[in-house]
Amino acid sequence: MFRRIGNAVVRHPVWTIVAWLIAAVAIVATAPGLPSNSDESSFLPKSYESIKAADLQTKAFPSAFTPSAIVLYQRTDGGKLTASDQQDVARITSELGRKHIDQVQKVVPGQPSKDGRYALTLVQMDSKNAGQPKQADAAKVLRADAKELAKGTHLDARLGGSAAQALDQQDSSQRGQALIGIGTFVIILVTLLIIFRAPILALLPLVLIGLVSAVANGLIAYATKLFDLQANSSISSILIVVLFGVGTDYFLFLMFRYRERLRAGDEPKQAMVNAVDRVGEAIASAAGAVIIAFLALVLSTLGFLKQMGPALAIAVAATLIAGLTLIPAVVSLIGPKVFWPSKSWQREPDNARFAALGRGVQRRPALTAAVSGLVLVALSLGTFGYKATFDLASGSMPKTKESMVVQDEMQKAYSAGAAAPTDVYLSSTDGKPLDRAAFDAYAKKLGAVDGVASARMAQVDKDGTTADFTVTLKYEASTDKAIDAVGRVRDIAHSSAPQGTEALVGGMSSIYKDINAAVNHDYRTVFPVAAVLIMVILGLLLRSVVAPWYLIASVGLGFGATLGATVWIFQAGQGHSGLMFMLPVIMYLFVVAIGTDYNILMIARLREEAREGREPREAAGMALRHAGPTVAAAGFILAATFATMMLAGNSLLTEMGFAVSFGIAVAAFVMAMFFTPSLTALIGHAAWWPGHGDRAEEAADGTVDGSLGSGPVPGEARDTVAHDPSGRRSQ
């Protein structure tokens, strides 16, 4: 199949390129805009208690005041607010209300802090648009107006709250994307220049993948609208890295084999056909593993991951098609001039280092497997210290952003949970009015829960069938202590609910607790499904039942080593309270799926060497000699590309960038180069059971197909042999 694809593309390169250009223009011109949502509650399905509570609040208390933005006032000298300052606060609050800013429904004064140094203005926005870009726009206007109205006073006015966090997250994301884009571009360009010393070849993947990126973004926007998926600003940053990182990987897989075929004496166009034929299956299998792993995210209960899975799968699918069609078409048009001005493509280098590494694996496979395995196991020990954190807002922007400063100041000035109180909604199950005489006792039970600062009955709906109890926790909403405390609040709220009533607990801490439960569900569902599907792909590629087991086990060890190293770096080393809650899911899929690319490339080359009549140990050594440079180059570029996410300046992308880049480095430089080939060499022919994928086919006269005379075909020359009419192969 891949030879047919190569022939068709090389024979009609111009039409292939024109088809891509037409598709790109049509898709980009007609694609809808990609929406964005930063409201964590929108990531959960309706079945979770926190979402049921939010729906009940909307029905029972449609006019309930829930601030989307908070203006925090403090004297510029840090002292206590004077009577004049308080008058200024009242004036600013009143004037903000009279401006009738879009999305703003109500502006009211808040409670001053106990120490008299802070005052608040609370701003309610349309709850239907929570987390949407239009509320971030409203926050931008509010922030500017508040600062303007505070001019000439002794007050410093700063805007916080969910809408302000969405605004700051948006700004941080745009800056992060720019840095990631520039960093990715520079790394790929410089690395390819060093490897090939050819400017055309270094620029080519950036131009072609840029075209693929435009197509992929358009297709993702279509899919998002068609399936009503949630979107988040972080996806765009991840998408840049996936497209350019994976795209460059496939470009390198193809170009290394194309150069190898040219050195073996193939005519340029035939060299590309042979390259697509030989490496196409590995590229398609590698991409298939990545696509299936990403699609497994649709089983997630979190909207953020449900959106990310299909989006990244579409991106990789577009990259795969480009790798088998667009890239071969363009390179076949340019021909060997793509390597200009370098002459090194004309001769095979000694590859002394990789040849030496290959000989080491060939001679001591048991030692190689043991040492590389022990490194992975040792790093994996760090996973026992893993803790999750759930504050997506502060995790996706620097602490210096204004909304984060306001959040920190409010935690000091007020009860830590005051900025995001927990609500317990007590509802009648039979439609009769609630017994108000039981409210005080119920509130006392809620207030006595460990971790609760205060609890009070706030309001009753007009029918008297639902009561809202406001519970203020002692801890900031996203902390582990707050999540544990809200679990205890739920237990008491449910068990102490008077007969004929039921309780629902809402608020941000309740949402975070449900997100934690959803992530644990994903661990039990997404992980095994992705692993099984990747094993199926490996089994189909290798025609083996045995090899997929130890290949996926090695990648699982790589995941453990990556998570362990990330825990040690960020929790133990930098003192983070935990890692972002979705990091293990994302890390698993990136490290397992993309890391499998290198295992596939190495094991496919090892099989190719074995089919030339080499014994398992020799085949492993030769595979490392020939595929090692490709894996090293691709692994370095992809790891460095993901590392650019650390430039974004926020903990979410910093942790993600480090974890994925480290995991890919482990996958390329430990698993694919040492662990996998040494294990395959040790297991021998049994690795290919029940098939005989490593055995050379016998020719009609009984000789082994793949041999030349009495010895094996040399690594660089073997692809040029062709069958003669007698059934033998001739050079």
Side-chain angles (χ1 to χ4, degrees):
M1 181 180 78
F2 296 102
R3 175 165 287 275
R4 288 197 297 270
I5 292 173
N7 271 320
V9 169
V10 171
R11 194 175 296 138
H12 307 290
V14 175
W15 285 113
T16 303
I17 296 167
V18 168
W20 265 96
L21 291 173
I22 292 173
V25 171
I27 291 170
V28 172
T30 60
L34 187 64
S36 182
N37 197 336
S38 59
D39 179 19
E40 286 93 334
S41 66
S42 68
F43 299 153
L44 287 168
K46 301 287 185 183
S47 58
Y48 283 89
E49 181 171 349
S50 59
I51 306 305
K52 290 180 180 178
D55 291 341
L56 177 60
Q57 178 193 7
T58 303
K59 294 174 184 175
F61 307 104
S63 60
F65 191 92
T66 305
S68 298
I70 300 170
V71 184
L72 180 68
Y73 303 96
Q74 181 184 18
R75 279 186 63 88
T76 53
D77 60 8
K80 289 187 177 182
L81 299 177
T82 64
S84 176
D85 295 330
Q86 292 170 353
Q87 289 176 0
D88 287 330
V89 170
R91 174 183 59 80
I92 294 171
T93 301
S94 177
E95 291 190 28
L96 284 175
R98 286 198 295 268
K99 285 183 176 290
H100 302 293
I101 299 167
D102 180 46
Q103 296 297 306
V104 173
Q105 296 177 327
K106 195 181 295 184
V107 182
V108 300
Q111 292 291 325
S113 63
K114 291 181 180 179
D115 60 9
R117 294 174 59 231
Y118 297 90
L120 302 174
T121 292
L122 306 178
V123 181
Q124 183 181 28
M125 296 187 187
D126 187 351
S127 61
K128 294 178 183 177
N129 295 319
Q132 298 297 328
K134 59 178 68 177
Q135 292 206 348
D137 295 339
K140 188 174 184 178
V141 176
L142 269 171
R143 180 173 284 170
D145 287 349
K147 292 183 185 302
E148 182 65 29
L149 292 169
K151 282 184 178 178
T153 71
H154 296 289
L155 295 174
D156 183 14
R158 291 172 291 188
L159 190 74
S162 59
Q165 288 176 355
L167 173 64
D168 290 341
Q169 187 177 355
Q170 189 180 83
D171 293 342
S172 179
S173 176
Q174 289 172 352
R175 174 182 173 274
Q177 283 181 41
L179 288 172
I180 289 169
I182 294 169
T184 299
F185 187 93
V186 170
I187 285 170
I188 293 175
L189 184 65
V190 171
T191 308
L192 290 180
L193 279 172
I194 292 172
I195 293 172
F196 293 103
R197 295 187 291 282
I200 297 174
L201 195 146
L203 285 169
L204 197 57
L206 296 170
V207 174
L208 297 182
I209 297 167
L211 176 64
V212 176
S213 175
V215 172
N217 274 293
L219 294 174
I220 290 165
Y222 274 121
T224 301
K225 184 177 181 179
L226 182 63
F227 298 106
D228 193 28
L229 299 171
Q230 298 291 346
N232 185 275
S233 55
S234 297
I235 291 177
S236 298
S237 301
I238 298 169
L239 198 60
I240 293 170
V241 176
V242 169
L243 279 164
F244 281 89
V246 173
T248 305
D249 260 13
Y250 299 160
F251 179 82
L252 284 172
F253 290 179
L254 191 66
M255 292 308 300
F256 269 95
R257 187 54 72 99
Y258 175 60
R259 186 177 66 177
E260 183 178 323
R261 299 310 318 134
L262 288 173
R263 287 171 176 166
D266 286 3
E267 181 271 330
K269 289 189 179 296
Q270 189 60 41
M272 181 54 72
V273 174
N274 287 338
V276 174
D277 179 37
R278 287 301 182 114
V279 85
E281 186 180 23
I283 291 176
S285 300
V290 178
I291 290 168
I292 281 182
F294 286 158
L295 285 178
L297 284 176
V298 300
L299 300 175
S300 170
T301 50
L302 291 172
F304 172 75
L305 295 177
K306 276 182 179 290
Q307 155 68 8
M308 180 182 287
L312 296 179
I314 289 169
V316 175
T319 307
L320 166 63
I321 296 170
L324 296 177
T325 58
L326 180 62
I327 293 173
V330 173
V331 174
S332 67
L333 269 182
I334 300 172
K337 291 180 181 177
V338 74
F339 297 106
W340 178 89
S342 174
K343 302 289 186 182
S344 61
W345 66 270
Q346 297 174 348
R347 60 187 182 279
E348 179 192 2
D350 293 335
N351 277 344
R353 293 179 183 176
F354 290 99
L357 292 174
R359 288 193 298 271
V361 169
Q362 179 178 339
R363 292 169 184 166
R364 300 182 181 84
L367 178 63
T368 304
V371 171
S372 54
L374 283 173
V375 169
L376 297 175
V377 170
L379 289 172
S380 298
L381 295 177
T383 58
F384 293 107
Y386 168 72
K387 291 181 181 178
T389 183
F390 297 87
D391 189 356
L392 191 60
S394 63
S396 56
M397 71 184 98
K399 291 289 187 183
T400 53
K401 285 289 185 180
E402 185 170 321
S403 59
M404 292 294 96
V405 173
V406 170
Q407 179 175 289
D408 291 341
E409 291 289 336
M410 286 192 65
Q411 287 179 33
K412 297 173 186 174
Y414 298 83
S415 170
T422 296
D423 288 288
V424 178
Y425 299 102
L426 190 66
S427 298
S428 170
T429 56
D430 55 12
K432 296 179 181 179
L434 296 169
D435 178 12
R436 299 186 181 225
F439 287 175
D440 286 344
Y442 190 65
K444 284 182 181 178
K445 288 182 179 179
L446 294 174
V449 173
D450 182 28
V452 172
S454 65
R456 62 183 178 84
M457 201 286 291
Q459 56 186 329
V460 180
D461 71 343
K462 61 181 181 180
D463 298 326
T465 57
T466 300
D468 174 13
F469 293 81
T470 299
V471 177
T472 303
L473 302 178
K474 295 178 180 178
Y475 318 109
E476 195 275 319
S478 65
T479 60
D480 289 340
K481 289 183 177 180
I483 293 168
D484 291 340
V486 88
R488 294 189 290 270
V489 169
R490 282 185 178 182
D491 292 339
I492 296 299
H494 297 159
S495 62
S496 301
Q499 189 173 0
T501 67
E502 67 175 359
L504 291 173
V505 180
M508 289 310 302
S509 294
S510 185
I511 288 171
Y512 291 135
K513 183 170 183 61
D514 285 342
I515 287 176
N516 188 29
V519 171
N520 288 333
H521 165 272
D522 292 348
Y523 291 161
R524 297 189 300 270
T525 306
V526 177
F527 281 23
V529 168
V532 168
L533 292 176
I534 290 173
M535 285 181 66
V536 169
I537 286 182
L538 290 171
L540 292 173
L541 169 68
L542 304 174
R543 284 78 168 172
S544 166
V545 173
V546 176
W549 284 99
Y550 68 82
L551 289 176
I552 203 70
S554 72
V555 177
L557 265 179
F559 165 76
T562 302
L563 181 57
T566 307
V567 167
W568 276 331
I569 292 291
F570 290 98
Q571 288 184 205
Q574 297 190 10
H576 289 199
S577 60
L579 304 178
M580 290 306 297
F581 66 90
M582 80 282 280
L583 187 64
V585 177
I586 294 170
M587 186 193 307
Y588 175 87
L589 292 167
F590 276 98
V591 173
V592 170
I594 297 179
T596 303
D597 281 11
Y598 305 125
N599 265 346
I600 287 175
L601 186 70
M602 185 62 73
I603 203 75
R605 187 61 183 247
L606 193 153
R607 180 184 62 179
E608 191 177 322
E609 298 291 343
R611 282 177 172 174
E612 302 298 339
R614 294 184 173 89
E615 286 302 308
R617 294 193 179 197
E618 184 186 4
M622 291 300 293
L624 181 52
R625 175 187 174 186
H626 291 295
T630 310
V631 169
F636 172 79
I637 288 178
L638 191 58
T641 302
F642 271 102
T644 61
M645 294 171 71
M646 299 172 69
L647 300 173
N650 65 68
S651 59
L652 171 62
L653 291 179
T654 298
E655 290 172 4
M656 195 182 298
F658 170 81
V660 177
S661 60
F662 184 86
I664 287 169
V666 167
F669 295 100
V670 180
M671 288 189 301
M673 283 198 189
F674 299 106
F675 197 61
T676 297
S678 59
L679 272 182
T680 307
L682 281 175
I683 297 171
H685 296 298
W688 308 95
W689 185 88
H692 300 286
D694 65 329
R695 303 295 178 91
E697 296 179 1
E698 288 193 359
D701 62 357
T703 60
V704 177
D705 179 17
S707 64
L708 252 181
S710 60
V713 180
E716 288 295 331
R718 63 183 175 279
D719 286 347
T720 61
V721 297
H723 286 285
D724 68 16
S726 68
R728 292 181 179 273
R729 299 179 100 186
S730 58
Q731 186 78 23

